[in-house]
Amino acid sequence: MLSLKNVTKSYQVGDFTQNALNGVSLSFRKQEFVAILGPSGSGKTTLLNMVGGLDRYDSGDLIIEGKSTQNFEDKDWDAYRNHAVGFVFQSYNLITHTSVLANVELGMTLSGLSPEARKTRALEVLEGVGLKDHVHKKPNQLSGGQMQRVAIARAIANNPDIIMADEPTGAIDSETSAQIMAIIQEIAKEKLVIMVTHDEALAHKYADRVVKLRDGEVIEDTNPYDDAQEATGSLLLKKTSMAFKQALKLSFNNLRTKKFRTLITAFAGSIGIIGVAMVLALANGLNNEIDELERSTLAQFPLQIDPFPIDIEAAQGNFGPPGPQLDDQGFEEFPDVREVYPYEEQISEDQHINVITQDYLDFLDTLDPDLYFEINAEYDVRLPLFLREAENQFRGVDQGGGGVDFEPTVTSEEFLSQSYDVIDGRLPENANEMLLVVDTQNRLNVRFFQALGINPDVASVSFDELYALDFYSFYPNDYYLENEETGRFIPSGDYEPLVESGDAIALKIVGVARESADSLAGFIDTGIKYHPDLEQMYIDAAQTSDIALAQAASDTSVITGLELSPQQKQGVLRQLGYDTTPRQVLIYPVDFNAKTEIREALDAYNEPLPEDEQIIYTDLAALVTDLTGDLINGVSYVLIAFSSISLVVSSIMIGIITYVSVLERTKEIGILRSLGARKKDVSRVFNAETTIIGFTAGLLGVAIAYGLTFPLNILIESLVDGIDGLAQLSLLAGVALILISIFLTFIAGLIPSRIAANKHPVEALRVE
Ligand code: ADP
Ligand code: MG
């Protein structure tokens, strides 16, 4: 069934060529016990390895079942070794980190037998060699004779046709040798057994046929066989392959025998993971904190519909031509000139302009009132404000930044109470009542005092003194007088009659509101706030007022006589209460969810409209949190990049350790190959090993990082008020990091595992 035709094999050692086989021709019967005899170095092992498919011949041919092997590929040899050949070596070649049972099962694993079938068969053959009671021991807990019996059991487990034994009793005492030989002789009753020995007596005692070698040539054959009449059959061998699960099991067992080293390796590998995990946990916590801020405190920030909505992305400088524009040379950034230049503010062409229409205001009216505290349209009406200090003595109160902030108030107590406390009196209930708003320390800008003619050197002014003040405002027709000559309007200056006739609007402060301590810096300015009804009354009167009608008809200011741009003209008409398209609308949502709903409604309004008719709102709170979030993410990326360096370093280290493991397990690689494992299977074993280390490193890293978040949070709590449990490692991040760890170590192990796969089986077996 096997025959060698003029086979040669030589080894090149430096410049010297060692001929191990010199044209050997031999044929073997299907069933016989052949002993190969010869002195050391005569080529016995070379011959055996060649016939067993562990090594390749240089020239000649090996015929198996009538089929030439000259065109055999790796996978054919792998299948041949696995299914047709069983090896028994002088040095047993058992895998020391798995049990006797697992050793015997290994070859069957490669041929794809089910786990149950494997176990049954392994127990059967182990019982056959008398080792029934030792199946769960590790090989190094057995005697030499017992180990060789395990090797024999492994060799016959797959029921091969040929058994190759290379000096099987070479390391065993003579009494035990007899037992081993008896077992082999028994096997040879059904199979072809080729046994190498240098013990002449042993050969003649047990073998059917003795072949003598010397210097790589056959010098004697006691029972030659001519296979010329043997039919050329066809050789059908099932391909072998190792399941990844089996590779994992092998590696796992191996790692178990060096727990400490594996743990240290995994720990070193986990350091990078810990770094990245901590950064992620912190970034996650900070982002949550900001989200929370947006949900709670910042939710009170109104949605703003401004005439020129903030567009963060748009370019900043909306100005006209720069100063000294140097012809042909373009602009100069810091011109060296001693002149100043005028510029006109320009709106960039991309700048969206919100034109708030009646249609839009009607749409806002349809919003569910439960979603907001208030919707405030700001008309920018400028009501005149006077303080009557004595009869016929009126003080014009400066308004705006240079004096008193005199504006309509928010009337929703529910909304106001979120950031303001009414600390005295009450909120205005009608057009004649006003509210004084002070800061958290009951303070007001000194300009407020000056505007009211109060000596700013006083330590304080009592609420009652302020309540006692008599304020007045006047309707436009009462307040402005037209100069017949110039056609311009000026304040009449004669107010006492208006007070007497009751045409003046008498105003009183009726309460004081104070910013609460935890409010975000006031979105209502300090100052005097009037009831929206007052504004409405003024607007109503303005519609038919002389000054407003005159201004509407003129492109120059009817007060100053200066020319007005269309925009400026609209501004003046707004101040006069004539133009009632709101300049700005503020929507105060009740909470974050309501804000989201309102935003959706506003978006839905815009959807069908062409872009220039859309009304774009600004969510300042979202802008703030987005910007902060971006910042946190940016910082996180940088930190992650730094900790990734340690990830790379630890991956390289794991690659090196895997390489060390390959060196250590070279013998195991040889054993696996002799049992029919493909190169691919060998690399699998090491890939499995790096996978396990990667997984352990990832798990360890995530677990340590998770554990570290607790002391870290305690530290942060002690440093920053009101922030607890900041660092939070999310489950998703944890799982992702473990996968990344597996991936990186796997990549790092690819080169060592390839080196392992390419090891020559014979050389690998020779390593001690
Ligand atoms: P035996 O098993 O009969 O003692 P071997 O088959 O092992 O002999 O060796 C036959 C000859 O080939 C010896 O001279 C040995 O030194 C040589 N040889 C075997 N393997 C190698 C090798 N890998 N490299 C170089 N020479 C080798
Ligand atoms: Mg030898």
Side-chain angles (χ1 to χ4, degrees):
M1 73 172 305
L2 271 182
S3 81
L4 294 154
K5 303 272 187 246
N6 203 22
V7 165
T8 66
K9 172 79 181 175
S10 59
Y11 296 101
Q12 193 72 36
V13 185
D15 295 337
F16 177 71
T17 306
Q18 170 72 51
N19 288 326
L21 294 177
N22 264 330
V24 172
S25 294
L26 261 180
S27 292
F28 300 100
R29 297 174 181 84
K30 227 179 170 53
Q31 184 269 308
E32 63 178 339
F33 188 171
V34 186
I36 312 268
L37 259 179
S40 184
S42 57
K44 305 183 297 291
T45 299
T46 307
L47 179 71
L48 199 73
N49 288 339
M50 186 93 47
V51 175
L54 271 180
D55 212 346
R56 305 282 172 273
Y57 45 85
D58 293 339
S59 69
D61 197 1
L62 169 66
I63 313 284
I64 305 168
E65 298 270 19
K67 192 174 167 38
S68 164
T69 57
Q70 272 168 348
N71 297 320
F72 260 35
E73 293 173 25
D74 279 351
K75 61 176 195 286
D76 301 308
W77 287 115
D78 293 338
Y80 169 62
R81 281 199 309 278
N82 185 253
H83 295 278
V85 185
F87 283 95
V88 179
F89 303 94
Q90 179 180 351
S91 54
Y92 327 124
N93 284 344
L94 299 174
I95 296 175
T96 48
H97 58 74
T98 57
S99 69
V100 164
L101 187 65
N103 265 283
V104 175
E105 283 185 28
L106 197 54
M108 292 185 278
T109 320
L110 293 165
S111 50
L113 244 65
S114 75
E116 301 79 46
R118 266 182 350 229
K119 191 167 180 192
T120 315
R121 173 69 181 157
L123 288 172
E124 187 183 309
V125 291
L126 280 167
E127 191 174 356
V129 297
L131 286 177
K132 199 179 162 214
D133 300 331
H134 303 279
V135 295
H136 294 300
K137 285 187 182 167
K138 292 275 168 67
N140 54 14
Q141 294 166 320
L142 301 178
S143 71
Q146 285 172 322
M147 283 196 271
Q148 197 57 295
R149 280 188 271 163
V150 175
I152 293 170
R154 180 180 62 188
I156 60 175
N158 243 354
N159 202 18
D161 295 326
I162 312 155
I163 299 291
M164 310 276 175
D166 194 351
E167 311 212 19
T169 57
I172 297 168
D173 61 87
S174 53
E175 197 182 322
T176 318
S177 292
Q179 294 171 13
I180 298 287
M181 288 314 295
I183 293 172
I184 294 176
Q185 201 175 28
E186 193 62 31
I187 294 167
K189 282 182 182 162
E190 294 164 10
K191 298 178 192 300
L192 166 62
V193 175
I194 306 173
M195 181 182 77
V196 163
T197 180
H198 56 253
D199 185 333
E200 185 130 23
L202 207 71
H204 288 293
K205 182 169 178 200
Y206 294 98
D208 309 329
R209 175 182 173 191
V210 177
V211 175
K212 279 194 181 160
L213 281 189
R214 182 171 299 149
D215 297 332
E217 282 173 54
V218 177
I219 54 161
E220 190 187 325
D221 188 344
T222 59
N223 188 7
Y225 172 58
D226 181 10
D227 68 345
Q229 71 273 29
E230 206 174 77
T232 48
S234 58
L235 185 66
L236 266 183
L237 291 170
K238 228 173 78 193
K239 303 286 177 276
T240 59
S241 82
M242 185 191 280
F244 192 66
K245 209 173 105 188
Q246 180 63 25
L248 266 178
K249 204 165 138 190
L250 262 180
S251 296
F252 186 69
N253 280 332
N254 170 53
L255 290 175
R256 253 199 344 208
T257 60
K258 30 187 192 189
K259 282 192 202 87
F260 187 67
R261 187 169 91 186
T262 307
L263 215 65
I264 294 282
T265 312
F267 178 70
S270 72
I271 288 171
I273 297 285
I274 295 174
V276 177
M278 293 310 285
V279 175
L280 286 179
L282 270 177
N284 183 31
L286 282 172
N287 276 322
N288 284 346
E289 198 68 29
I290 288 170
D291 275 0
E292 187 47 37
L293 190 70
E294 183 175 10
R295 287 181 173 280
S296 55
T297 327
L298 289 177
Q300 299 160 18
F301 267 64
L303 289 173
Q304 282 173 234
I305 293 135
D306 299 321
F308 306 114
I310 300 172
D311 185 355
I312 291 286
E313 257 108 83
Q316 294 294 307
N318 293 336
F319 300 123
Q325 202 172 349
L326 305 172
D327 287 338
D328 303 332
Q329 295 167 29
F331 307 132
E332 208 173 288
E333 212 168 338
F334 299 108
D336 183 18
V337 293
R338 299 180 56 79
E339 283 141 284
V340 290
Y341 302 82
Y343 74 85
E344 209 175 329
E345 236 177 288
Q346 283 183 349
I347 298 162
S348 117
E349 279 177 26
D350 314 330
Q351 173 69 59
H352 182 88
I353 303 174
N354 277 333
V355 183
I356 299 169
T357 56
Q358 191 55 45
D359 183 49
Y360 189 66
L361 295 173
D362 291 345
F363 153 72
L364 291 181
D365 269 343
T366 65
L367 288 177
D368 179 356
D370 289 342
L371 295 178
Y372 56 85
F373 292 120
E374 289 214 356
I375 296 184
N376 276 353
E378 297 203 350
Y379 301 102
D380 269 7
V381 183
R382 211 24 124 79
L383 273 67
L385 181 65
F386 283 85
L387 182 61
R388 185 172 180 265
E389 292 173 325
E391 197 176 317
N392 256 321
Q393 194 179 323
F394 289 83
R395 169 184 287 274
V397 178
D398 282 341
Q399 294 186 32
V404 174
D405 244 301
F406 186 55
E407 294 164 336
T409 180
V410 168
T411 50
S412 159
E413 191 160 6
E414 195 189 354
F415 166 62
L416 209 64
S417 65
Q418 290 202 345
S419 301
Y420 292 84
D421 305 315
V422 177
I423 51 170
D424 196 58
R426 56 181 165 76
L427 291 176
E429 283 165 7
N430 61 54
N432 297 104
E433 297 182 342
M434 305 191 296
L435 178 72
L436 179 70
V437 177
V438 296
D439 79 358
T440 51
Q441 300 296 315
N442 281 26
R443 294 181 311 174
L444 286 165
N445 193 309
V446 68
R447 287 191 290 266
F448 176 92
F449 295 85
Q450 287 161 343
L452 297 187
I454 300 167
N455 178 2
D457 295 336
V458 297
S460 66
V461 178
S462 75
F463 291 165
D464 288 332
E465 276 175 77
L466 294 170
Y467 293 157
L469 295 175
D470 288 315
F471 290 99
Y472 286 94
S473 189
F474 311 112
Y475 291 117
N477 264 355
D478 296 331
Y479 181 54
Y480 289 108
L481 270 184
E482 187 177 5
N483 182 321
E484 301 290 339
E485 267 170 55
T486 61
R488 294 211 213 150
F489 288 79
I490 50 162
S492 74
D494 187 17
Y495 308 126
E496 194 64 37
L498 296 172
V499 174
E500 274 160 29
S501 69
D503 289 332
I505 311 164
L507 297 167
K508 281 279 188 188
I509 296 173
V510 297
V512 179
R514 180 168 66 196
E515 253 178 62
S516 38
D518 60 349
S519 96
L520 290 169
F523 44 88
I524 303 174
D525 298 323
T526 55
I528 297 173
K529 311 292 150 183
Y530 55 83
H531 196 277
D533 283 356
L534 175 63
E535 186 177 50
Q536 199 52 55
M537 279 161 52
Y538 190 84
I539 287 173
D540 288 346
Q543 300 308 306
T544 54
S545 70
D546 296 337
I547 182 172
L549 293 172
Q551 183 63 74
S554 166
D555 286 338
T556 56
S557 166
V558 295
I559 298 170
T560 63
L562 294 175
E563 208 172 306
L564 297 175
S565 72
Q567 270 172 40
Q568 289 169 325
K569 181 174 163 181
Q570 189 184 32
V572 173
L573 287 173
R574 277 203 178 110
Q575 289 190 357
L576 291 172
Y578 183 77
D579 186 328
T580 56
T581 53
R583 193 183 62 87
Q584 189 187 36
V585 177
L586 299 177
I587 304 171
Y588 295 91
V590 293
D591 58 23
F592 183 76
N593 292 335
K595 175 148 96 181
T596 311
E597 263 190 67
I598 294 172
R599 286 182 62 149
E600 281 165 6
L602 299 183
D603 290 339
Y605 173 87
N606 279 334
E607 234 211 324
L609 295 176
E611 210 165 311
D612 58 332
E613 284 177 37
Q614 292 183 353
I615 309 275
I616 296 174
Y617 58 83
T618 307
D619 185 350
L620 265 187
L623 273 180
V624 169
T625 51
D626 285 355
L627 280 177
T628 325
D630 286 351
L631 188 71
I632 290 172
N633 288 340
V635 172
S636 312
Y637 292 144
V638 172
L639 291 177
I640 286 173
F642 275 116
S643 25
S644 297
I645 295 173
S646 57
L647 263 185
V648 171
V649 170
S650 56
S651 299
I652 292 173
M653 193 200 64
I654 286 172
I656 294 168
I657 288 175
T658 308
Y659 180 64
V660 171
S661 177
V662 167
L663 294 182
E664 283 176 353
R665 296 171 73 186
T666 305
K667 181 138 210 166
E668 184 179 340
I669 295 169
I671 296 167
L672 284 169
R673 295 302 304 277
S674 76
L675 288 171
R678 301 166 301 169
K679 289 181 171 183
K680 212 190 269 181
D681 300 322
V682 172
S683 62
R684 264 189 190 175
V685 170
F686 291 94
N687 287 341
E689 180 163 321
T690 46
T691 304
I692 293 171
I693 291 179
F695 176 74
T696 316
L699 199 67
L700 204 64
V702 169
I704 292 175
Y706 180 72
L708 283 178
T709 57
F710 294 99
L712 182 68
N713 282 338
I714 292 173
L715 182 73
I716 293 174
E717 259 170 72
S718 70
L719 292 176
V720 191
D721 261 0
I723 290 189
D724 52 319
L726 182 72
Q728 300 285 352
L729 188 61
S730 74
L731 183 68
L732 185 74
V735 172
L737 283 174
I738 293 175
L739 291 179
I740 287 172
S741 174
I742 293 174
F743 177 74
L744 286 178
T745 49
F746 182 82
I747 296 289
L750 279 181
I751 294 173
S753 79
R754 173 148 308 177
I755 293 173
N758 286 328
K759 279 201 186 295
H760 193 285
V762 175
E763 322 248 293
L765 279 172
R766 198 172 290 146
V767 170
E768 274 315 315

